[in-house]
Amino acid sequence: VTYREVDVDDQVGCPVEATLGVIGGKWKAVLIFHMMHSGPHRFAELRRKTTGISDRVLTRQLRELETDGIVQREAFAEVPPRVEYSLTEYGQSLRPVTEAMCQWGKQHMAAGVA
């Protein structure tokens, strides 16, 4: 399906816009990628894997993904407290999107454009 074949209703908006509304921005797709390929993560693990993100931005991005039903936050009643973030079943439905982005990124990097 090419973009010309997609019937876009001006009242509803573009489907790509809807997708970017959920996973857009600098970090959300990266966070989804890490959780998709490595399972649940603690906050510090995500911060380590996502080079350049501040604690404040990471917290905000995770909260937005949780609000959109993409990420689940699970707090364990332990001492010290432990919190893990993982993808929901709905979040797992983004697998084809992130895999396509990953493949395109590899080709882009191999072309020496990046």
Side-chain angles (χ1 to χ4, degrees):
V1 174
T2 66
Y3 70 92
R4 290 185 187 117
E5 295 173 359
V6 175
D7 183 25
V8 178
D9 181 353
D10 289 335
Q11 298 293 338
V12 177
C14 174
V16 173
E17 188 177 345
T19 304
L20 290 175
V22 176
I23 66 167
K26 187 173 180 179
W27 303 111
K28 287 182 183 176
V30 174
L31 294 169
I32 291 166
F33 173 82
H34 289 309
M35 285 183 266
M36 192 166 289
H37 293 281
S38 304
H41 283 72
R42 295 178 75 171
F43 185 89
E45 292 174 307
L46 287 170
R47 186 181 58 226
R48 247 189 329 275
K49 288 184 174 185
T50 313
T51 307
I53 194 169
S54 68
D55 286 356
R56 181 174 175 237
V57 171
L58 177 56
T59 299
R60 187 173 65 234
Q61 299 287 275
L62 288 169
R63 283 184 184 154
E64 289 174 9
L65 288 168
E66 186 178 4
T67 298
D68 288 329
I70 304 299
V71 168
Q72 173 183 336
R73 179 184 186 273
E74 186 174 4
F76 296 89
E78 300 175 350
V79 177
R82 177 171 59 110
V83 175
E84 288 186 346
Y85 297 90
S86 60
L87 291 179
T88 62
E89 187 175 332
Y90 184 56
Q92 288 288 344
S93 71
L94 288 165
R95 181 173 296 277
V97 176
T98 57
E99 287 176 353
M101 290 173 67
C102 185
Q103 186 61 35
W104 188 90
K106 287 177 184 178
Q107 292 171 351
H108 181 70
M109 290 166 48
V113 182

